[in-house]
Amino acid sequence: MPALLSLWTSQFRSGSISIPKFTRYALAIMIFGGLFCSCKKNSSNSGGTTPPPPVKSNQHNSLITQHGDNYRTGWNSTETELNTTNVNKGKFGLILSLPVDDQIYSQPLVVGNLQVNGQSHNVLFIATVNNSVYAFDGDDGKLLWNNNFTASGMRVVQNTDMTGACDGSYADFSGHIGIVGTPVIDTVNKFIYFVARSTSPDGQTFLQQLHKVNIITGQDDIPPVNITASYSGTGDGSQNLVINFNPQKQNQRAALTLTNGNVIVTWSSHCDWGPYHGWVIGYDAASLNRQFVFNATPNDANGGIWESGQGTSVDDQGNLYITTGNGSIFYGGGDGIDYGESAVKLLVNGNSISVGSFFTPYNALYLNQNDLDFGSIGSLLIPHSNYFFTGAKDGSLFLLDKDNMGGYDSTANNVYQELNLGNPNANEHCQAAYFENANAGFVTLWSENDPLRVYPLVNNKLGNPVKSTIAGPVGQNGAMLSISSYGQHEGIIWATHAVAPADAEHDVSNGILRAINAANITQELWNSNLTPSDLLGKYAKFATPTIVNGKVYVATFSNKVQVYGLK
C-alpha cells in the first residue's frame, strides 16, 4: 500500500457534486438554445468536429490572492468537480486558450459570481508584463474588459533597461518587465491592486505605480500612486544618511497582500544589481496613502524579498512574515536594525511597523558568499499552529516558532525544527504548499533537481518525507504547486515546471502541467504532454496554477492563458 494512502479517505463521499457527461452536454444545449452539438461541422470544412462549448460551472468560488490565502497554503479545499477519478486523459484536458498581449508572470485570479454588464460571471483576471490587465469569463472565455496601465507618455520597462544587471547580460526576464508580482483583489469593494512599471522613451526615468482598479469596469478608481520611499541609514546607496527607493533597480517580484485595510508590497532586485534593499511598504487600500515603510538592510546592502514570487504571509493577528536574501555586513540584527539572510516577523500598529521576532542561520556569511540565499523558497504559515515554514538555497528547511523564531547565534541554529534536502543541487527555487486529510497535515515542495516531497506534520513536527518517482524540474527553477480537494478528500497536487532538460532560470522553455494523486504521489493522474492538443506552451516561472470552479488556469510565456477542465 502506498505510504500516504492509509492517511487519505479512499472514497469521494456524499456531499460532493459530480456532473455526469450526458448532463453537462444537456446543460450546454439548454444554455445555448441548441445551437451547438457534438457533430457540428467545423467552419473550415476540414472535416473535423467542433467540441461542445465549455460548460458553466455550478461553483462560484473565488481565489483572490496568490496561493489562495494569506497563510500562502496553495490549498483549495472547496473543489467539487475535479477529483482523482475524472482527472485523466479521457475526461480532462485543455478546453480554452485565451490570448493576451505578452508574457504572464503572475498567478491567475478568479472572482466568482461577479456582476459585469448586468450578467453574472466567474471572472478570470490576468495581468501581463506589458502592463495590461484582462477580465475574462472564466467558464466560456469571453473577454469582458481589458486595459493597459503604462504611464502616459512612457513605455513599458524591458530587460535591456537593466543595464548593470548580470554585467549587462540580464536574462531573468526575456522582454518586458511591467506587472510582475501577482495582484490582489478586494471582493467586498470590488477592486484589484497591482504595481505597473514604466520608463521614459529614452530609458532614463523610471516609475513604479500602485493601481486600484475597479474589477467591474477596468478603470482606475483613483489616480495611481507613484511609489517613493526613504529610510534612515548608512547602507549601500545612502546619501546624507538616507536611503531612497530606486524604481529602476527595485524588482517588485513577490505577490501583493491585502490585510487589515492595507495593501502590502515588497521588493527584491534584478540579478543583485545594487544598490538595492529589501523594502516592505504598506498603503491604505482606500486612499492609496502610504502608511508604513520597512527596510531590511538600512545600514547594510541587499536583503531582497524573493520567495519565488510567493506573497507575504499574514497570521490571524495581522502580523507579517517575510524572508530576505543576501546581506553582506551585519547578520541577525547584529546592529539591531539589519536583517539580511533572515526570516522576519513584522508587527504593524497603525502607521508603524517593527520587528517582533527573527531568525538568521548561523552560516549566513557562507550563504551570502556562495549566493545560497535564505528565503529562495515560497514560505508559508502552517494553519492551526504557531509555525512558519521556510528554507534556503543550500537545501535547508526550517519550521520556526513564529513568536520566537530563534534569533542569531554564530555557532548554531536555535530553531524549533531544522531539516535538509540533502541535495546540494536542490536550491529551492520553488513554492511550498500545505494541505490536510482526515488524519494529518502535510507540507509539500518540489525543488529543482530533486523529487516531489510530502512531509507529514506529526505531533507538531515534520516527519520523514514521502518522495515521488515522477520526473521533475532541473536547472535552477523548481515546480510551482497548488492543491485541490473536496474538504479533506480527493486531493490532487497540481504542478507546473519547465520540461527537462530545459532550465527556466534564463531560458524561455516548454512547460508541463501535472496532476498527481496527493494520497499516492507516485501516481500521476494526468499531464499536459500526454496529448498534443493539451500542450501547455512556454512555462511561466514562479506563476502558480489556479484551481477553482472545476477549472485549472495556467499562465504561460506564450502570450496566452491555458484553461483545463472536464471535456
Side-chain angles (χ1 to χ4, degrees):
M1 180 178 290
L4 288 181
L5 191 56
S6 62
L7 295 178
W8 274 87
T9 303
S10 61
Q11 301 294 326
F12 196 27
R13 298 297 186 188
S14 60
S16 65
I17 300 175
S18 179
I19 304 177
K21 188 174 182 179
F22 72 88
T23 304
R24 293 199 307 273
Y25 282 120
L27 284 172
I29 292 170
M30 287 188 290
I31 292 170
F32 290 88
L35 294 177
F36 296 90
C37 68
S38 61
C39 59
K40 182 181 177 182
K41 287 288 186 180
N42 191 306
S43 60
S44 67
N45 295 317
S46 63
T49 61
T50 300
V55 177
K56 289 282 187 179
S57 176
N58 58 5
Q59 300 179 89
H60 303 287
N61 295 317
S62 299
L63 194 148
I64 57 175
T65 192
Q66 190 270 341
H67 248 196
D69 55 62
N70 278 354
Y71 286 176
R72 306 302 174 186
T73 63
W75 177 33
N76 173 17
S77 62
T78 65
E79 179 50 53
T80 64
E81 295 179 41
L82 302 179
N83 56 62
T84 57
T85 300
N86 60 25
V87 175
N88 57 53
K89 183 179 178 181
K91 297 181 179 179
F92 180 86
L94 183 68
I95 57 174
L96 291 170
S97 187
L98 308 179
V100 294
D101 64 5
D102 213 328
Q103 297 175 337
I104 308 164
Y105 274 76
S106 59
Q107 179 175 351
L109 301 177
V110 174
V111 176
N113 203 25
L114 181 67
Q115 293 288 323
V116 180
N117 298 325
Q119 294 184 329
S120 177
H121 305 266
N122 289 333
V123 182
L124 169 68
F125 293 91
I126 300 295
T128 77
V129 292
N130 193 46
N131 284 334
S132 293
V133 178
Y134 293 77
F136 296 99
D137 184 295
D139 291 320
D140 63 26
K142 177 183 178 182
L143 179 63
L144 303 175
W145 59 258
N146 72 286
N147 203 350
N148 186 272
F149 296 92
T150 305
S152 177
M154 305 184 87
R155 61 170 174 83
V156 184
V157 175
Q158 54 194 31
N159 62 336
T160 53
D161 292 318
M162 303 301 137
T163 53
C166 295
D167 298 320
S169 58
Y170 186 52
D172 288 357
F173 291 88
S174 61
H176 288 149
I177 314 176
I179 302 170
V180 176
T182 298
V184 66
I185 296 175
D186 175 359
T187 55
V188 175
N189 297 299
K190 305 295 189 294
F191 297 116
I192 184 170
Y193 299 87
F194 54 87
V195 172
R197 288 182 256 193
S198 306
T199 186
S200 56
D202 61 2
Q204 298 300 306
T205 302
F206 290 83
L207 181 66
Q208 296 193 28
Q209 293 183 309
L210 176 62
H211 287 262
K212 174 189 178 185
V213 169
N214 187 301
I215 59 175
I216 298 173
T217 67
Q219 301 298 316
D220 279 300
D221 177 64
I222 56 178
V225 61
N226 295 344
I227 293 173
T228 62
S230 59
Y231 208 86
S232 297
T234 59
D236 196 17
S238 64
Q239 295 181 343
N240 299 319
L241 306 182
V242 174
I243 297 172
N244 290 307
F245 179 89
N246 186 320
Q248 178 185 19
K249 295 183 177 181
Q250 296 292 161
N251 181 14
Q252 203 293 289
R253 184 65 194 89
L256 276 63
T257 302
L258 180 64
T259 178
N260 291 333
N262 290 320
V263 179
I264 312 299
V265 191
T266 64
W267 284 267
S268 55
S269 73
H270 296 280
C271 198
D272 289 331
W273 180 32
Y276 77 92
H277 298 267
W279 293 84
V280 180
I281 306 180
Y283 294 87
D284 178 74
S287 66
L288 297 187
N289 290 332
R290 193 177 62 213
Q291 298 295 97
F292 51 80
V293 178
F294 175 78
N295 186 309
T297 53
N299 290 340
D300 198 347
N302 308 341
I305 300 166
W306 300 93
E307 298 200 44
S308 293
Q310 195 124 300
T312 300
S313 297
V314 186
D315 67 18
D316 294 341
Q317 292 72 46
N319 302 308
L320 313 180
Y321 296 82
I322 62 169
T323 59
T324 63
N326 293 346
S328 59
I329 303 173
F330 300 106
Y331 294 106
D335 60 347
I337 196 171
D338 287 282
Y339 298 94
E341 304 280 14
S342 299
V344 185
K345 174 181 182 177
L346 296 171
L347 311 179
V348 177
N349 183 11
N351 293 336
S352 69
I353 184 170
S354 60
V355 174
S357 187
F358 74 92
F359 163 66
T360 308
Y362 79 93
N363 61 343
L365 178 60
Y366 170 82
L367 297 180
N368 184 63
Q369 291 175 338
N370 291 275
D371 194 29
L372 295 172
D373 301 48
F374 189 85
S376 57
I377 192 171
S379 308
L380 57 83
L381 286 165
I382 306 290
H384 328 297
S385 82
N386 213 49
Y387 307 118
F388 180 63
F389 178 80
T390 189
K393 285 185 188 177
D394 68 345
S396 57
L397 299 171
F398 300 96
L399 192 61
L400 306 177
D401 182 328
K402 69 184 184 68
D403 297 326
N404 184 15
M405 288 183 150
Y408 175 64
D409 184 326
S410 61
T411 61
N413 292 327
N414 300 311
V415 298
Y416 181 75
Q417 185 181 11
E418 180 177 358
L419 305 92
N420 199 288
L421 298 178
N423 179 353
N425 296 314
N427 298 138
E428 298 183 19
H429 293 96
C430 59
Q431 296 172 353
Y434 173 88
F435 63 99
E436 297 173 359
N437 67 20
N439 301 306
F442 302 87
V443 173
T444 181
L445 68 146
W446 201 348
S447 177
E448 64 272 38
N449 311 306
D450 200 61
L452 170 66
R453 297 170 182 245
V454 174
Y455 291 83
L457 193 63
V458 180
N459 296 324
N460 289 323
K461 289 204 171 181
L462 296 174
N464 292 327
V466 176
K467 302 177 186 179
S468 179
T469 55
I470 299 168
V474 299
Q476 281 294 292
N477 194 267
M480 305 302 114
L481 304 181
S482 293
I483 295 99
S484 67
S485 70
Y486 180 57
Q488 296 177 328
H489 310 289
E490 292 290 317
I492 300 175
I493 298 174
W494 301 87
T496 57
H497 62 81
V499 177
D503 182 356
E505 181 184 26
H506 293 143
D507 297 327
V508 176
S509 312
N510 289 329
I512 188 169
L513 170 67
R514 299 185 186 273
I516 299 167
N517 188 347
N520 173 13
I521 62 171
T522 63
Q523 181 191 7
E524 183 172 64
L525 304 170
W526 172 92
N527 74 63
S528 59
N529 281 5
L530 294 176
T531 304
S533 59
D534 289 341
L535 291 175
L536 177 63
K538 299 302 183 183
Y539 167 66
K541 60 183 179 182
F542 305 129
T544 318
T546 294
I547 301 88
V548 65
N549 301 330
K551 307 291 192 303
V552 181
Y553 303 98
V554 187
T556 75
F557 282 0
S558 299
N559 297 9
K560 60 186 177 182
V561 186
Q562 300 289 63
V563 184
Y564 296 87
L566 297 176
K567 297 187 287 188

